[in-house]
Amino acid sequence: MQPSATINGARHTQIRIQQMDCPTEEAMIRRLFENNPNVLQLNFNLIRRVLTVSHRPDSLNPILEGIRSLGFEPEVLAAESSNRSAQFEISHRPWWPLVIAAVVALLAEISHFAAWPTWLTLAFASMAIAIGGLHTYKKGWRALRNGNLNINALMSIAVTGALLIGEWPEAAMVTVLFSLAEMIEARSLDRARRAIGSLMELAPEHALVLLKDGSWQKLPAREVQLGSTIRIAPGQQIPLDGEIISGFSSINQAPISGESQPVDKSVGDAVYAGTINLNGSFDYSVTATADNSTLARIIHRVEEAQNAKAPTQRFIDRFAAIYTPMVLLLALLITIVPPLFFGGAWLAWIYKALVILVIACPCALVISTPVSIVSALASAARQGILIKGGVYLENSRLLNYLTFDKTGTVTEGRPSLNEALIFDENQQATIRSIAGTIAARSDHPISQALAAALNNHGDSPALTHFEALPGRGSKAVIEGQSYFLGSHRLIHELGVCSPALEQQLAIFEQQGKNTTLLCSEKAVLALFVMADNVKESSREALQELHQMGIKTMMLSGDNQLAVNYIAKEVGIDKAHGNLLPEDKLQIIHELSEHSIIAMVGDGINDTPALARADIGIAMGAIGSDAALETADVALMDDDLRKIPSLIRLSRATHRILLQNISFALGLKAIFLILTLSGYGTMWMAVFADMGASLLVVLNGLRLLNYRL
């Protein structure tokens, strides 16, 4: 298995770096390779601790050596790793060294207050720092050597400064507290890692497969080939995408679509990896390998989404790049200016500067945004909304205009029989049977839907002749009698239309419904009203959107009467019919000049409009490559109510981001004032800084449990 893939002459290699937890490590790696001609692009996934490097062939080894020079341990990942757990490996340092370091640091404090020999206090402090903070020292001085002012660098400077000015017990306690807070924070971050990794556990790792000799054997799902037959028992999870070839059951598709109700499945229906078989048993043929299943594509999109930074995250990254050097300059000024110009005590002001270095690190500020975004993305994915980047998640709260395709989006997308008017009450069953027989011979979608609706009404009469009448309908001879099944136009040509019937047809046509008529050579026998029914969820979704203050518009290629009727049924503000794809694109373009707009469609016919809108939302993305590729947001079922849920999630995410930013900056400002006033100490600074990091991470993780 190759460790990397080649695309357009460049190699793309995934490298796991366990030490890459914070954006400051990202900055170190970017700086290392910024002028390297062999490195074409770097993509960082801090949640997975994975760096994807686009590089020239035969340059991987120097790249790995460069990463090692920073003190990191790079691990090249296989292009298609079969080890699920390795994808989101979580590593922890053991607790016991930290416990020992804490005890020794406490002894240093006791020695200092009890006035034990100075050498004993220094020995206890040095031992605590060596046991509990040596790794921080190594990372800190390595960062300084490479010109990066991350938290480890600032802590190393602060602890060294404290030792030099004789604050040995405090230096030891600060080191231990920092290591403790760092470990707690790492374990909190692991929850976000597990949230993405848990998606991979939805599909079982093994499948019961039919072998060539007719026997059944349990095989690893990743080894099952296309076209293989898999057997599923009641209560089992489905390991791979496929199509049922025998049996039937109800399937719980909630793990990947968020649908609340089970879906009945029988021969010919598609099933998806990660969904749960409820009561029946069936065999199905595999239509997608493990690496290309709907579930695998969802996981891939969620992983990709982590790299599409939200506006707030981009702002924080830029802010942090300016903020840290400014703080270092402030600490330097605090060290020099008061003693030189105002007669301050050197040791007192050096101590205050060291405290400020500890509290100043922007880690809490920087790490809170990706954790919040990833938590929201994972929560949405588990509930059937696939968001392809933080930018779309955060910008959804700004939407003030939504445009909808009609067929398959607001409506069911398939015609069904709404009403059947049989004009001879004594021949109800016979007329239905004749109409069903003729409709079954036609390949027109409306005729097929009519045949499906009428196929249980009596025995099928013998049909001896069938003729398609293009643009009008069909003609058939049944038991020696000629019958016609077709449109309003056809009965006009036959001369059997009446004023009363015209009036009836006009009412249905104004409602946007299709009418199919059955007649003999002398009279109309029946009128069948076909309609693409509105989804119940559409009405609720539109009501919620209007309550949110969002305007709505329908864009459809259907006739204007049908579009107007459906728009009125669900409460859409404006409706445009008879539109070609380029017409929809033009309307979206005009609206986007003064509104933040989303287009909701099926991901195929509406591709131009989906691409042009600020946010493109695809409906019914289960199994659809086109929907997953085209849209910025994919709803894994056909429920429009997920759009208001998306907007609520976006608003909740934005609130949490603002809370985290306000808390992190506010706490630093308060502590800066306390320190300059003489009340701040180094151990308090560690508690404040790492406590802030921990609290903003935990606040962001609340989005993992957000219910849409």
Side-chain angles (χ1 to χ4, degrees):
M1 190 173 291
Q2 296 298 317
S4 55
T6 303
I7 302 174
N8 297 327
R11 302 283 287 177
H12 299 271
T13 305
Q14 287 193 327
I15 304 169
R16 177 179 290 112
I17 304 171
Q18 289 292 356
Q19 299 82 4
M20 189 174 69
D21 285 311
C22 184
T24 48
E25 282 89 27
E26 175 183 334
M28 291 173 66
I29 297 171
R30 286 195 183 278
R31 183 165 182 170
L32 177 67
F33 293 119
E34 63 183 354
N35 296 317
N36 190 323
N38 290 319
V39 177
L40 307 178
Q41 188 175 6
L42 299 172
N43 287 310
F44 292 85
N45 187 325
L46 296 180
I47 297 299
R48 284 186 57 198
R49 298 187 181 110
V50 170
L51 164 65
T52 302
V53 184
S54 301
H55 58 94
R56 301 189 191 282
D58 304 321
S59 63
L60 180 59
N61 286 334
I63 291 171
L64 296 177
E65 286 302 318
I67 294 172
R68 290 189 186 99
S69 72
L70 299 176
F72 302 148
E73 298 172 7
E75 174 194 352
V76 177
L77 298 179
E80 296 176 354
S81 174
S82 61
N83 187 345
R84 296 189 195 190
S85 61
Q87 292 292 322
F88 289 85
E89 184 178 339
I90 296 170
S91 62
H92 297 305
R93 298 199 314 272
W95 282 96
W96 64 265
L98 193 57
V99 173
I100 294 173
V103 172
V104 177
L106 183 61
L107 289 174
E109 291 281 5
I110 294 171
S111 176
H112 175 71
F113 284 108
W116 291 353
T118 303
W119 66 265
L120 187 59
T121 303
L122 178 58
F124 283 140
S126 300
M127 192 183 302
I129 292 171
I131 297 172
L134 195 58
H135 67 285
T136 302
Y137 250 111
K138 288 180 179 178
K139 291 192 291 184
W141 289 115
R142 196 175 290 121
L144 284 172
R145 193 178 66 222
N146 288 277
N148 286 277
L149 299 173
N150 61 21
I151 182 60
N152 297 303
L154 297 180
M155 279 299 302
S156 298
I157 294 171
V159 171
T160 302
L163 289 172
L164 291 175
I165 64 175
E167 298 287 347
W168 304 321
E170 190 161 2
M173 190 58 70
V174 162
T175 301
V176 172
L177 290 175
F178 176 76
S179 296
L180 175 63
E182 194 177 41
M183 188 174 288
I184 294 172
E185 181 186 358
R187 301 216 170 195
S188 299
L189 285 170
D190 286 339
R191 279 199 64 197
R193 294 186 177 100
R194 282 193 293 266
I196 305 298
S198 65
L199 293 174
M200 294 184 170
E201 305 304 323
L202 289 176
E205 295 191 30
H206 293 84
L208 188 61
V209 182
L210 178 64
L211 303 182
K212 291 182 179 179
D213 62 4
S215 63
W216 295 86
Q217 183 176 344
K218 184 175 286 188
L219 298 174
R222 299 191 70 87
E223 297 178 8
V224 178
Q225 302 296 312
L226 289 175
S228 299
T229 298
I230 291 178
R231 176 161 290 175
I232 299 295
Q236 285 187 333
Q237 283 186 304
I238 295 171
L240 298 163
D241 288 5
E243 184 177 297
I244 295 178
I245 55 177
S246 67
F248 59 90
S249 185
S250 293
I251 305 292
N252 177 4
Q253 297 189 155
I256 62 172
S257 72
E259 291 174 278
S260 59
Q261 298 297 322
V263 180
D264 292 334
K265 302 276 187 174
S266 58
V267 174
D269 289 332
V271 293
Y272 305 103
T275 57
I276 303 167
N277 180 34
L278 296 180
N279 45 28
S281 62
F282 58 88
D283 297 344
Y284 74 93
S285 176
V286 175
T287 57
T289 60
D291 293 323
N292 197 42
S293 68
T294 299
L295 178 61
R297 294 200 306 275
I298 291 170
I299 294 167
H300 179 61
R301 295 303 172 210
V302 174
E303 291 177 0
E304 282 186 336
Q306 298 174 52
N307 296 323
K309 292 186 176 180
T312 301
Q313 190 173 350
R314 292 197 299 268
F315 165 75
I316 291 298
D317 290 347
R318 292 194 300 269
F319 175 77
I322 301 169
Y323 167 82
T324 306
M326 287 178 62
V327 167
L328 190 64
L329 178 61
L330 175 63
L332 184 61
L333 292 174
I334 288 172
T335 302
I336 296 172
V337 173
L340 283 181
F341 299 101
F342 302 101
W346 279 98
L347 290 181
W349 285 99
I350 289 173
Y351 181 80
K352 289 179 181 180
L354 295 176
V355 174
I356 288 171
L357 285 182
V358 175
I359 192 62
C361 180
C363 226
L365 193 63
V366 175
I367 199 63
S368 67
T369 47
V371 169
S372 301
I373 294 295
V374 169
S375 298
L377 292 174
S379 177
R382 288 203 304 263
Q383 297 177 72
I385 303 177
L386 184 61
I387 307 169
K388 291 174 66 174
V391 61
Y392 308 116
L393 169 65
E394 193 169 347
N395 285 346
S396 293
R397 70 185 177 84
L398 302 174
L399 289 172
N400 49 32
Y401 223 122
L402 266 105
T403 58
F404 299 85
D405 178 41
K406 179 178 77 72
T407 306
T409 300
V410 176
T411 65
E412 297 287 352
R414 56 184 181 274
S416 60
L417 181 61
N418 270 27
E419 197 170 348
L421 303 177
I422 310 299
F423 298 122
D424 187 345
E425 294 184 0
N426 297 323
Q427 299 291 321
Q428 289 267 352
T430 300
I431 291 173
R432 284 177 174 270
S433 182
I434 291 171
T437 300
I438 300 173
R441 294 292 297 270
S442 173
D443 58 2
H444 193 282
I446 291 179
S447 294
Q448 289 295 310
L450 180 60
L454 298 176
N455 63 2
N456 293 324
H457 297 281
D459 297 328
S460 298
L463 186 150
T464 56
H465 172 77
F466 178 85
E467 179 183 353
L469 305 174
R472 294 168 294 165
S474 307
K475 177 183 178 181
V477 176
I478 296 176
E479 297 177 354
Q481 175 71 41
S482 293
Y483 294 96
F484 300 86
L485 184 70
S487 65
H488 188 178
R489 174 185 171 186
L490 177 61
I491 63 169
H492 268 291
E493 291 180 1
L494 295 172
V496 293
C497 195
S498 66
L501 186 57
E502 283 281 3
Q503 190 174 1
Q504 271 186 314
L505 290 171
I507 293 172
F508 292 128
E509 288 169 0
Q510 285 174 2
Q511 295 175 351
K513 297 179 179 179
N514 290 296
T515 53
T516 300
L517 300 105
L518 175 69
C519 64
S520 65
E521 293 177 320
K522 297 180 180 179
V524 175
L525 304 175
L527 168 61
F528 302 100
V529 182
M530 309 294 292
D532 183 7
N533 294 323
V534 171
K535 302 172 189 173
E536 282 303 316
S537 60
S538 297
R539 293 185 177 90
E540 294 179 33
L542 268 296
Q543 185 177 2
E544 282 191 74
L545 289 170
H546 287 143
Q547 289 171 352
M548 291 177 170
I550 297 173
K551 297 178 182 178
T552 55
M553 179 183 293
M554 182 179 285
L555 305 176
S556 175
D558 208 342
N559 69 78
Q560 190 65 52
L561 285 175
V563 173
N564 288 343
Y565 180 77
I566 296 296
K568 184 177 179 181
E569 277 280 291
V570 298
I572 289 179
D573 299 324
K574 297 180 182 179
H576 296 279
N578 300 311
L579 298 178
L580 297 173
E582 53 265 33
D583 299 324
K584 294 183 181 181
L585 178 61
Q586 180 60 33
I587 292 173
I588 295 289
H589 178 75
E590 292 171 359
L591 287 174
S592 63
E593 291 180 355
H594 50 80
S595 300
I596 306 297
I597 188 169
M599 173 66 189
V600 189
D602 61 12
I604 302 173
N605 298 328
D606 300 305
T607 297
L610 286 168
R612 178 62 184 85
D614 296 291
I615 299 177
I617 302 175
M619 296 289 293
I622 290 182
S624 169
D625 287 316
L628 288 171
E629 294 294 337
T630 305
D632 306 314
V633 176
L635 308 183
M636 303 310 291
D637 59 9
D638 293 326
D639 195 340
L640 281 178
R641 289 173 296 190
K642 283 189 166 62
I643 297 177
S645 298
L646 167 66
I647 296 170
R648 285 194 295 270
L649 176 63
S650 175
R651 293 175 178 178
T653 303
H654 185 69
R655 282 196 304 272
I656 285 179
L657 289 174
L658 289 181
Q659 289 167 8
N660 286 345
I661 293 168
S662 301
F663 179 76
L665 290 178
L667 186 62
K668 291 179 187 300
I670 291 170
F671 205 86
L672 176 62
I673 295 170
L674 288 174
T675 302
L676 293 176
S677 302
Y679 296 103
T681 62
M682 287 186 67
W683 65 266
M684 289 171 57
V686 172
F687 268 130
D689 178 69
M690 298 309 294
S693 296
L694 182 59
L695 286 174
V696 298
V697 166
L698 292 175
N699 193 35
L701 289 175
R702 289 195 300 126
L703 290 166
L704 283 175
N705 300 317
Y706 187 86
R707 301 307 302 171
L708 300 178

